[in-house]
């Protein structure tokens, strides 16, 4: 049996990297005052149809949708924003005194895509959502958090690409311009784009098949259709980023693959050689109006999401080695029946005292046990023999220096704790 296509097992050796990265992301959220939200992995299909948008690839082609035994249409979440907004509305978080509501999540998402490096059918997204503020400084905060997260993990070759999709009026004007521009070429566009032209012409700009069509190059830019309010909002976001010293590039063709965006839209790309064909590390933007679409009060929102898979790929491409310690604090070697019995007790006591300990479970000889200790990179080895038990004195060996101490059994925990806390790594 093999795992389904587009999924992967994260095994020891790699799972430590996941834990490290996830802890770092949570630590950053703590600093920026974003609190964790956990929502169900499946939702009513309608949520994503309304939230992500009927004309998107995600909803049209990529959702894992099934009917449950009660005849309801259920979908494995393809992203986290719609669920977060649903929960915000359902739990009336908008009524809490502390606004904006700043949330983060980490969890698996599901999209039926063609798997390749950096594109899986089950992947883990870390994302943040700030709901209830229409202040350009929070747009800058979200992009700042995203860039900081990557940089603190050691990435350097990053580009923040940004665009404004404007408000509703600006988008309507731009939409019309796109229809006028592409209609004469309608027959030359792919079948999907012919439909998109009627339903959601912005999606044409995002088409993978038609991206080299000559009409793409001089397609009307949204930036030429922003009304005064949208333009001024965008200018303020840019000014805040300048103040924070965050560099960015404006790309008027950045439209994003989800329908809920307006005003600020952004992606962070990797420029690292060897990162592969997919260069987008993360994406996000503003989604004023989504809360209302999902049945809540008028509330503005902005957020972004990254996948841990692509983050780890980027770290690898840039040769960043995460500071993950692969050592064991203590290994207990025992010889003889009484010693083995004592080792069961000591192992338990040391663990209760907060020391990381392991022992032999395969009745290895002394030499084999020392070998195990070596393989596990043990910092200390406690040796228990029947003689030691009789004399209530065990030997504790510092594996780095080779130094050995004889100690009464009951002092081992304190001794190890002191040594391990002593700044020796
Ligand atoms: P998205 O651009 O669809 O946006 O996905 C965000 C990130 O998730 C991507 O940049 C990529 O890192 C990762 N990702 C997406 N699909 C895959 C895949 N098949 N395999 C591996 N990684 C993938 C959203 O999902 C929005 N909800 C982001 C957002 C939050 N906007 C506002 N708030």
């Amino acid at each position: 049996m093999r795992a389904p296509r587009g999924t992967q097992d994260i095994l020891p050796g790699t799972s430590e990297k996941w834990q490290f990265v996830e802890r770092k992301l949570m630590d950053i959220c703590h600093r920026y005052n974003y609190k964790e939200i956990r929502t169900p992995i499946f939702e009513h299909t309608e949520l994503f149809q309304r939230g992500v948008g009927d004309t998107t690839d995600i909803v049209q082609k990529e959702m894992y949708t099934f009917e449950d035994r009660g005849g309801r249409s259920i979908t494995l979440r393809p992203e986290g924003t719609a669920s977060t907004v649903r929960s915000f509305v359902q739990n009336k978080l908008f009524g809490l005194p502390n606004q904006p509501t700043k949330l983060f999540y980490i969890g698996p998402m599901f999209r039926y895509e063609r798997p390749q490096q950096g594109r899986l059918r089950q992947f883990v997204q870390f994302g943040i959502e700030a709901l209830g503020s229409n202040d350009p400084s929070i747009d800058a905060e979200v992009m700042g958090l995203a860039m900081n997260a990557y940089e603190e993990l050691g990435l350097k070759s990053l580009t923040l690409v940004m665009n404004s999709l404007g408000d509703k009026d600006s988008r309507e004007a731009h939409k019309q311009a796109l229809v006028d521009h592409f209609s004469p070429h309608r027959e030359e566009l792919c079948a999907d784009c012919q439909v998109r032209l009627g339903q959601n012409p912005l999606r044409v700009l995002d088409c993978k098949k038609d991206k080299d069509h000559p009409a793409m190059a001089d397609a009307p830019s949204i930036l030429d259709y922003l009304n005064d309010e949208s333009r001024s909002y965008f200018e303020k976001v840019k000014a805040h980023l300048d103040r924070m010293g965050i560099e960015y590039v404006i790309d008027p063709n950045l439209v994003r693959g989800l329908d809920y965006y307006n005003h600020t839209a952004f992606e962070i790309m990797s420029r690292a050689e060897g990162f592969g064909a997919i260069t987008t590390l993360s994406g996000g933007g503003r989604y004023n109006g989504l809360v209302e679409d999902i049945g809540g009060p008028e509330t503005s929102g902005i957020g972004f999401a990254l996948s841990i898979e692509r983050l780890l790929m980027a770290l690898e491409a840039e040769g960043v080695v995460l500071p993950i310690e692969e050592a064991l604090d203590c290994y207990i070697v025992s010889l003889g029946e009484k010693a083995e019995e004592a080792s069961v007790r000591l192992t338990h006591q040391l663990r209760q005292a907060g020391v990381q300990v392991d022992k032999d479970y395969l009745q290895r000889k002394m030499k084999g046990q020392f070998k195990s200790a070596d393989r596990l990179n043990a910092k200390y080895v406690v040796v228990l023999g029947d003689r030691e038990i009789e004399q209530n004195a065990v030997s504790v060996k510092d594996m780095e220096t080779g130094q050995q101490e004889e100690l009464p059994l009951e002092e081992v925990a304190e001794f190890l704790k002191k040594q391990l806390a002593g700044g020796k790594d």
Side-chain angles (χ1 to χ4, degrees), residues 58 78-82 105 111 113 118-125 127-129 150 256-258 260-261 267-268 280-287 302-311:
I58 295 181
E79 58 103 53
T81 309
Y105 47 85
R111 295 186 194 176
E113 295 196 84
R119 180 173 291 148
L120 289 112
R121 290 183 174 170
Q122 174 175 334
F123 56 98
V124 174
Q125 263 190 358
I128 65 168
E129 312 293 347
Y150 288 127
R256 308 273 302 122
L258 303 93
Y260 46 62
Y261 292 114
E267 288 186 355
I268 298 173
T280 306
L281 288 179
S282 55
R286 186 160 273 287
Y287 46 83
I302 178 161
F304 94 103
L306 61 81
S307 69
I308 310 283
E309 287 84 354
R310 287 193 198 170
L311 167 55

Side-chain angles (χ1 to χ4, degrees), residues 301-417:
I302 178 161
F304 94 103
L306 61 81
S307 69
I308 310 283
E309 287 84 354
R310 287 193 198 170
L311 167 55
L312 291 175
M313 265 173 63
L315 289 169
E316 193 148 316
E318 290 201 29
V320 177
V321 181
L322 298 175
I324 292 166
E325 210 193 348
E326 280 171 45
L328 181 73
D329 285 349
C330 173
Y331 191 89
I332 298 187
V333 168
S334 65
L335 197 72
E337 209 175 305
K338 286 240 166 52
E340 160 64 13
E341 286 165 16
S343 79
V344 171
R345 190 179 315 118
L346 182 62
T347 306
H348 187 61
Q349 285 168 348
L350 287 177
R351 287 170 177 164
Q352 285 178 318
V355 185
Q356 183 200 24
V357 191
D358 213 347
K359 70 183 269 295
D360 173 63
Y361 295 97
L362 297 174
Q363 286 101 40
R364 289 186 183 91
K365 303 239 163 53
M366 181 91 128
K367 207 170 142 201
Q369 294 186 39
F370 266 103
K371 239 190 201 159
S372 287
D374 256 353
R375 263 199 302 266
L376 292 167
N377 216 354
K379 294 177 197 162
Y380 290 88
V381 171
V382 173
V383 184
L384 287 176
D386 286 349
R387 183 185 59 84
E388 279 91 350
I389 303 299
E390 256 163 47
Q391 298 172 356
N392 189 32
V394 298
S395 77
V396 181
K397 187 172 176 185
D398 180 328
M399 298 302 277
E400 200 186 316
T401 63
Q403 241 173 20
Q404 206 154 319
E405 301 245 358
E406 296 268 313
L407 290 174
L409 203 54
E410 58 277 9
E411 284 178 23
V412 176
E414 268 320 298
F415 174 81
L416 284 175
K417 274 171 70 178

Side-chain angles (χ1 to χ4, degrees), residues 57 60-61 185-199 204 207 209-210:
D57 275 358
Q60 287 187 346
K61 303 178 187 165
H185 306 284
R186 193 187 172 86
E187 303 305 316
E188 299 147 28
L189 298 175
C190 75
D192 280 347
C193 278
Q194 297 190 13
V195 178
R196 286 173 184 138
L197 208 49
Q199 289 181 347
V204 175
C207 178
K209 282 191 208 138
D210 288 330

